[in-house]
Amino acid sequence: MSQFGVVSDDFKRVEAHVCPISTCAAPAGSPCRTGKGKVAIQYHTAGFRLVPQLAKSLNVPTPAVRGPGAVRTELPRPANTDAEPIGHVRIGYARASTARQSLDAQLDALADANVPRVFAEKISTRVTRRLELEAAVKLAGGIRSSGVAVTLVVHEHKRLGRGIELAMLAEELKASDVGLEFLTGELKGSHDPSGIVFTVLAAMSGMEREYIRGRTLEGQESARVVPADPAIRLGLREHPHSPGRPGGTRSGRTCSPRPIAAA
């Protein structure tokens, strides 16, 4: 199942690639075939594992629209860079993590970049489905299928996600031959979603998030170990949970309750 919840489009992502099985070698835009020249009932494993979000799937069935079991005929190839685009459309996306955060800076930057249509939402990246992002990707794919070049424009890559999330989105865009552009940040510029540079940088941004998380956990652990009271840290006052209170030891001596004078 896709990260964006579009199950029916899985076959399109598989068919964005040429099947690597030599006995099949189905071209892009066509389903896999059997040894007898019929449409296979499911795509070859080596083929659908080229799609990151399908890599762990056990199988990807061929949809009814492809006529599994019927005599196979090669279908028209999907729109790609071999065909000269008849125009160019830029679609924007903006996101804030919380309702209190403002989208103004992102929207202003997209307007300055001459992006006429923008999808915006306030939602955390921890939420699996982001409806406005899904809508932007769907619109971009629909426009590209008509022969018009499309670029999804975002203020910064962090607005989309990091690491595997960003790589999966790139695969979504690659299947539809949609470009991606960031206006600022470490991935600033235009990127081919199928390019190795984009994939490496996306992986690096995921490593950065894990590094920050690790440092945060280390800081929390240190805060628990190091007393906040400077007098305790300098040894001028005894820690309330030290072994010397009471009956424990302090500076090598045994502490015991002070005897009470007889009345």
Side-chain angles (χ1 to χ4, degrees):
M1 181 175 180
S2 162
Q3 179 186 4
F4 303 106
V6 187
V7 180
S8 60
D9 282 349
D10 284 348
F11 77 97
K12 294 182 180 180
R13 300 184 188 99
V14 178
E15 291 181 4
H17 307 271
V18 175
C19 181
I21 301 298
S22 59
T23 54
C24 175
S30 294
C32 289
R33 57 188 164 195
T34 67
K36 296 183 179 180
K38 294 185 177 182
V39 178
I41 61 173
Q42 62 186 32
Y43 293 91
H44 290 113
T45 304
F48 67 72
R49 285 188 174 173
L50 294 174
V51 183
Q53 60 265 54
L54 299 177
K56 295 184 179 180
S57 300
L58 297 179
N59 60 73
V60 176
T62 303
V65 69
R66 291 295 192 242
V71 176
R72 181 186 174 281
T73 57
E74 186 171 324
L75 299 174
R77 293 172 179 261
N80 53 46
T81 53
D82 294 336
E84 187 67 26
I86 59 177
H88 187 202
V89 172
R90 288 155 65 83
I91 299 175
Y93 174 72
R95 182 189 64 82
S97 298
T98 68
R100 293 184 178 182
Q101 293 180 338
S102 174
L103 290 168
D104 291 348
Q106 297 180 54
L107 296 177
D108 289 345
L110 290 168
D112 291 341
N114 297 317
V115 180
R117 179 69 183 275
V118 177
F119 292 80
E121 58 190 337
K122 294 186 177 183
I123 189 171
S124 171
T125 52
R126 296 180 180 179
V127 178
T128 304
R129 292 195 63 182
R130 283 168 275 162
L131 298 181
E132 290 299 310
L133 179 57
E134 289 182 20
V137 173
K138 183 177 181 179
L139 177 62
I143 295 175
R144 183 66 188 99
S145 65
S146 67
V148 178
V150 184
T151 299
L152 179 64
V153 185
V154 187
H155 183 251
E156 188 178 9
H157 74 278
K158 296 177 182 178
R159 299 303 95 203
L160 295 177
R162 296 193 181 193
I164 189 63
E165 299 165 352
L166 196 55
M168 290 175 68
L169 174 60
E171 189 61 36
E172 294 276 346
L173 299 176
K174 174 185 175 183
S176 301
D177 192 32
V178 174
L180 185 60
E181 179 183 348
F182 298 114
L183 300 180
T184 188
E186 58 189 23
L187 298 183
K188 180 180 178 180
S190 299
H191 300 276
D192 173 5
S194 63
I196 185 64
V197 173
F198 180 88
T199 302
V200 170
L201 290 177
M204 289 176 62
S205 65
M207 293 171 61
E208 173 193 2
R209 180 169 62 178
E210 291 301 315
Y211 173 76
I212 294 174
R213 178 177 179 273
R215 291 297 300 272
T216 300
L217 292 176
E218 289 178 4
Q220 292 174 346
E221 183 64 25
S222 298
R224 286 194 292 268
V225 174
V226 179
D229 190 335
I232 296 176
R233 292 201 302 269
L234 296 174
L236 302 178
R237 183 185 303 165
E238 189 177 60
H239 195 288
H241 301 295
S242 66
R245 295 178 63 90
T249 59
R250 183 181 181 187
S251 301
R253 296 177 295 177
T254 302
C255 299
S256 57
R258 183 175 179 179
I260 300 176

